[in-house]
Amino acid sequence: MELLHLFKHFCRSGFGGNRLKFLAMGQGQEKVALQLLETAIARGQWLMLQNCHLLVKWLKDLEKALGRIQKPHPDFRFVDVFCNKLWTSLLNIA
């Protein structure tokens, strides 16, 4: 949760606006998350997904979407909270 508080601090400090996006993952949020990811990649936004562990089967789709990134905006950042399974998988690919 410390990371979430840090992000909220950035928002209060004027960093946020349209550059910082949050999404708490849960049932039905899969498409929304992928759409936010595509937008963040193109516009240089920071995207934070929370509770990815709730959608373990969907993590493969997220992993594929992240793997397809070719030329992201230089300001693009992706942060997850509690997605240990995803990062273990991505580290194995690298």
Side-chain angles (χ1 to χ4, degrees), residues 42-53:
R43 296 183 183 172
Q45 298 170 331
W46 286 31
L47 175 61
M48 178 186 221
L49 299 181
Q50 298 173 265
N51 303 323
C52 293
H53 65 284

Side-chain angles (χ1 to χ4, degrees), residues 23-40:
L23 181 64
M25 298 302 293
Q27 189 175 15
Q29 296 300 313
E30 300 93 328
K31 283 187 178 183
V32 174
L34 292 176
Q35 290 170 344
L36 285 174
L37 178 63
E38 288 181 25
T39 301

Side-chain angles (χ1 to χ4, degrees), residues 27-78:
Q27 189 175 15
Q29 296 300 313
E30 300 93 328
K31 283 187 178 183
V32 174
L34 292 176
Q35 290 170 344
L36 285 174
L37 178 63
E38 288 181 25
T39 301
I41 292 166
R43 296 183 183 172
Q45 298 170 331
W46 286 31
L47 175 61
M48 178 186 221
L49 299 181
Q50 298 173 265
N51 303 323
C52 293
H53 65 284
L54 298 175
L55 301 168
V56 175
K57 290 182 182 179
W58 175 77
L59 289 178
K60 287 287 184 190
D61 294 335
L62 177 59
E63 183 178 345
K64 289 176 187 174
L66 291 170
R68 286 191 299 265
I69 298 172
Q70 292 189 9
K71 292 186 179 183
H73 188 288
D75 295 332
F76 166 70
R77 299 292 184 274
F78 174 75

